[in-house]
Amino acid sequence: AAKAAGRGKHCFYEASMHSEAADRQLLENDLRQALDRGEMWVAFQPIVRVASEEISGFEALVRWNHPTRGAVSPDKFISVAEECGMIGKIGEYVLRTAVAEAARWPDNVRIAVNLSPIQFNDPNIVDTVAAVLAEYDLIPSRLELEITEGVFLADSDMTDSTFARLKSLGVRLALDDFGTGYSSLGYLKKAPFDKIKIDQSFVRGAASTTRRNGAIIRAIVTLAESLGMDTTAEGVETHDDLYLIRELGVSQVQGYIFGKPLPAAETKELANSTRVEADGFQCIREPRH
Ligand code: C2E
Ligand code: MG
Ligand code: MG
Ligand code: MG
């Protein structure tokens, strides 16, 4: 009877922790079956060259339609997949699906695929990438692998040799979510990136908020250019931000203003209309499903 209130509170806290862990366990169990049950699919988001308004390529983004939860965000389930050992299978499914789709597009349209640090550090990754490219007869330079700073945490000799082997395979490498991690500049020196993807947190609302985001974007562009790397601004949603991004010299744009991630069936027309009309922002904005 003593400390009843405190005990009650304690129990409540425990119960909620328990249900959170239980929920995570349920999600993990479902995730293990998701691929085999056909609940996963790949969406493609256009990436557009700022200067010419041409389609540069698409980023493949995995989607999970859970039978009862509905769409579960990759921000939620990728980390679960990494922890429970499923990311290799899921990642390979995304890679294969994305490369198969890209093989149906014109030769100048690239496909970008995210690689989890766990995939990157798998000793078989280079062979897997090479095999998938060969299977669909895709020119390696049409594949861009998006990597985050997380790959450098392992920082082994193998990390260096994986970069070198991927490079000699001929695929392109992009540093994703740039600016959100720790010592990004050191990492730029370590690996042969072809592109820096400027994180949405600097891009979204850059035109309307402080000038600091613009200054940071400009600095990243200068750095990238002097290292011979492309830049893509992620998360451009408004014309004002697009205008600023163009002024700042960013080479490519990815964001809802040009299109949300689309099902494969809806990419082909876009992929073939490589030249977007002068007023083309309207053409590929908010595509109808
Ligand atoms: P990311 O690689 O940085 O991908 C860009 C994310 O920004 C995507 O979210 C995309 O839908 C979203 N985005 C693009 N433009 C806009 C915009 O204008 N406004 C807003 N609000 N969002 C925009 P998504 O698809 O939810 O993916 C989230 C993250 O999950 C990805 O970030 C990536 O880190 C991870 N992810 C997605 N698919 C895969 C995959 O196949 N493998 C791995 N390892 N990770 C993946
Ligand atoms: Mg990405
Ligand atoms: Mg990103
Ligand atoms: Mg991200």
Side-chain angles (χ1 to χ4, degrees):
K3 296 174 184 166
R7 192 181 60 201
K9 195 175 176 186
H10 181 67
C11 288
F12 173 77
Y13 187 57
E14 262 194 345
S16 77
M17 285 209 321
H18 176 258
S19 76
E20 207 174 284
D23 188 61
R24 158 99 179 43
Q25 189 61 53
L26 287 173
L27 196 70
E28 181 182 320
N29 293 346
D30 292 346
L31 190 58
R32 288 184 187 282
Q33 323 271 350
L35 260 185
D36 293 339
R37 291 182 175 164
E39 294 164 6
M40 297 223 163
W41 59 285
V42 179
F44 297 87
Q45 186 179 27
I47 301 174
V48 177
R49 291 198 179 90
V50 176
S52 61
E53 295 173 8
E54 292 168 333
I55 293 280
S56 162
F58 293 84
E59 179 175 5
L61 295 158
V62 68
R63 295 290 179 260
W64 180 16
N65 280 344
H66 187 282
T68 55
R69 297 171 199 243
V72 183
S73 163
D75 279 329
K76 184 166 185 183
F77 73 79
I78 290 289
S79 63
V80 178
E82 288 173 337
E83 285 159 28
C84 74
M86 285 296 294
I87 192 66
K89 261 184 98 178
I90 293 171
E92 194 173 330
Y93 160 74
V94 175
L95 177 69
R96 176 165 281 108
T97 307
V99 166
E101 201 55 42
R104 306 165 60 213
W105 300 335
D107 275 352
N108 57 346
V109 180
R110 291 201 173 102
I111 179 67
V113 177
N114 294 283
L115 267 201
S116 156
I118 292 175
Q119 286 177 275
F120 186 89
N121 290 315
D122 179 333
N124 294 319
I125 186 64
V126 183
D127 293 340
T128 301
V129 170
V132 171
L133 287 171
E135 186 178 340
Y136 296 97
D137 200 17
L138 196 83
I139 303 162
S141 63
R142 289 183 60 198
L143 175 64
E144 188 164 80
L145 298 174
E146 297 195 359
I147 291 154
T148 58
E149 285 182 3
V151 299
F152 296 107
L153 293 178
D155 197 25
S156 60
D157 291 345
M158 200 185 74
T159 311
D160 293 343
S161 89
T162 299
F163 274 117
R165 291 173 62 211
L166 286 172
K167 228 31 243 179
S168 61
L169 192 60
V171 301
R172 285 167 53 95
L173 300 169
L175 183 55
D176 204 354
D177 302 343
F178 186 77
T180 58
Y182 300 99
S183 50
S184 312
L185 297 184
Y187 298 143
L188 284 179
K189 189 178 73 174
K190 280 177 94 86
F193 291 108
D194 300 283
K195 175 189 273 191
I196 295 174
K197 296 194 81 174
I198 305 168
D199 191 69
Q200 317 198 2
S201 56
F202 301 109
V203 174
R204 186 121 27 93
S208 60
T209 55
T210 65
R211 291 178 165 204
R212 289 179 180 226
N213 284 331
I216 291 168
I217 293 168
R218 192 188 295 280
I220 296 173
V221 169
T222 304
L223 180 67
E225 280 177 355
S226 57
L227 293 168
M229 300 175 187
D230 283 349
T231 43
T232 295
E234 298 192 279
V236 176
E237 293 185 355
T238 66
H239 284 275
D240 286 350
D241 286 344
L242 178 62
Y243 184 82
L244 178 69
I245 289 301
R246 183 189 282 140
E247 293 292 291
L248 293 172
V250 178
S251 48
Q252 295 163 19
V253 162
Q254 180 178 356
Y256 291 175
I257 191 166
F258 280 115
K260 294 190 171 180
L262 299 164
E266 292 171 46
T267 61
K268 214 177 170 207
E269 195 184 347
L270 208 50
N272 282 291
S273 70
T274 49
R275 174 79 205 179
V276 181
E277 310 256 311
D279 194 25
F281 299 150
Q282 314 304 335
C283 301
I284 53 176
R285 229 172 106 195
E286 303 281 329
R288 299 271 153 257
H289 288 230

